[in-house]
């Protein structure tokens, strides 16, 4: 049985505008999900179970503000329509609690299994091909390498044609943590494990980006794809964007607030833009679909991939995100089926699937 979260918000409203024939078209459409975070895609029921297990095992001495934070985050995530977000930064505050209750190999294995089932199993899988991304975390019960091995164990229970793993590096990471992550990636790639790319993620304005340059260069030497979260907020500076583009990434996450100089580079180098419509709307980085930056890329026939980002807080699915393309305005962008089919083709063409060990 596949346990997923109910659809709500913009994705639900768009789906309600479609005919059964249109829904079937979207379900059968070949497409790739290239921007799905593991810890933001956990089914709510499993997260609640893991939280209950964690809190029941906590001693009275450790029953502290951390446990209260877990309860608070779960309360917000359990709202029928998902958590109320007044700005993008509210979104990041939900994750420390999730990381705490998924800090053992058993918990990581369970959430990875559940998330892959949501995207890949059932009569109508969400996507043809999935790139799942996650940041390796060290805890009292596992190293970063051990974390990746648990995730890969589940990923590799599916064919390489269905799923690959992207290793995320957080902008707040210290150099020691970065070295630890890259050492694990190098070792696992030497064992021909299914890591296909590297991602830069995290709090949008934190960190010294120049520190990441040698690690990204080394990842490229390993044959890995590179994708970076870029220009997510109005607080991201032009210099920040220039630095990220200087790493020559293959794909860009969100790219919401690129200036004209950056857009010209992106178009020239045909860097695929990972578009997360519900995420942008609910985090209020985009006011409505009419003014969404997807329009400039559609007009240019530029590579894009429609993605979910985090289906747990945003109460969406890949089907719901594609409904936002097909549904008439103001519920969606009102694209034709041929246009939507082209978007699906572009997403598959922009994947890192061919970078899996043994494919190059």
């Amino acid at each position: 049985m596949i346990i997923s979260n109910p659809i709500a918000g913009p994705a639900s409203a768009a789906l309600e505008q479609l005919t059964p024939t249109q829904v079937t078209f979207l379900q059968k459409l070949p497409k790739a999900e290239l921007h799905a975070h593991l810890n933001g895609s956990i089914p709510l029921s499993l997260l609640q179970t893991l939280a209950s297990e964690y809190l029941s095992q906590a001693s009275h001495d450790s029953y502290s503000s951390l446990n209260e934070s877990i309860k608070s985050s779960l309360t917000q995530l359990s709202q029928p329509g998902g958590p109320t977000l007044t700005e993008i930064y509210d979104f990041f505050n939900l994750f420390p609690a999730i990381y705490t209750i998924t800090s053992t190999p058993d918990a990581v294995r369970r959430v990875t299994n559940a998330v892959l089932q949501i995207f890949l199993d059932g009569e109508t899988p969400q996507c043809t091909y999935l790139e799942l991304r996650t940041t390796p975390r060290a805890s009292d019960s596992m190293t970063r390498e051990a974390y990746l091995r648990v995730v890969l164990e589940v990923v590799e229970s599916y064919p390489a044609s269905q799923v690959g793993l992207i290793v995320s590096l957080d902008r707040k990471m210290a150099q020691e943590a970065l070295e630890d992550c890259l050492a694990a990636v190098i070792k696992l790639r030497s064992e021909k494990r299914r890591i296909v790319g590297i991602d830069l993620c995290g709090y949008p304005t934190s960190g010294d980006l120049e520190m990441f340059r040698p690690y990204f260069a080394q990842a490229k030497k390993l044959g890995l794809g590179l994708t970076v979260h870029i220009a997510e907020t109005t607080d991201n500076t032009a210099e920040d964007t220039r630095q990220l583009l200087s790493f020559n990434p293959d794909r860009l996450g969100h790219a919401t607030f690129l200036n004209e100089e950056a857009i010209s580079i992106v178009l020239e180098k045909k860097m695929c833009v990972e578009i997360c419509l519900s995420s942008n709307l609910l985090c209020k980085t985009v006011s409505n679909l009419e003014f969404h930056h997807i329009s400039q890329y559609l007009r240019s026939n530029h590579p894009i991939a429609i993605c979910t980002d985090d289906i747990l807080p945003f109460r969406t699915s890949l089907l719901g995100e594609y409904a936002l393309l097909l549904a008439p305005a103001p519920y969606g962008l009102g694209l034709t089926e041929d246009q939507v089919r082209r978007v699906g083709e572009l997403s598959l063409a922009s994947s890192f699937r061919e970078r899996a060990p043994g494919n190059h």
Side-chain angles (χ1 to χ4, degrees), residues 129-133 155 159-160 162-166 194-196:
Y129 172 73
L130 166 69
E131 284 176 2
L132 187 67
R133 61 182 68 187
V155 165
Q162 276 191 288
V163 59
L165 179 66
I166 292 178
R194 204 184 302 159
I195 298 173
V196 298

Side-chain angles (χ1 to χ4, degrees), residues 308-324:
T308 55
D309 202 7
D310 296 277
I311 59 175
L312 170 60
F314 301 137
R315 291 296 195 274
T316 190
S317 66
L318 196 57
L319 176 64
E321 294 304 291
Y322 270 79
L324 287 164

Side-chain angles (χ1 to χ4, degrees), residues 33-88:
E33 163 62 87
L34 304 181
H35 191 128
H37 295 274
L38 172 61
N39 287 286
S41 302
I42 304 169
L44 179 60
S45 57
L46 175 57
L47 196 64
Q48 290 168 329
T49 298
L50 290 171
S52 178
E53 291 173 1
Y54 176 87
L55 292 170
S56 69
Q57 294 167 7
S59 67
H60 289 292
D61 291 339
S62 64
Y63 201 87
S64 61
S65 59
L66 173 62
N67 296 338
E68 292 304 318
S69 174
I70 291 172
K71 292 179 179 179
S72 174
S73 292
L74 262 292
T75 298
Q76 294 180 65
L77 288 165
S78 299
Q79 294 179 50
T84 301
L85 305 172
T86 56
E87 61 175 0
I88 188 173

Side-chain angles (χ1 to χ4, degrees), residues 252 254-259 262-264 266-267 271-275 292-304 346:
L252 307 174
H254 299 292
T256 315
F257 297 102
L258 296 179
N259 60 25
I263 291 171
S264 66
V266 171
L267 293 175
M271 296 172 176
C272 174
V273 180
E274 301 159 357
I275 300 285
H292 197 283
H293 53 290
I294 188 176
S295 299
Q296 65 191 358
Y297 300 117
L298 290 171
R299 288 193 298 269
S300 304
N301 195 29
H302 183 81
I304 60 171
L346 288 168

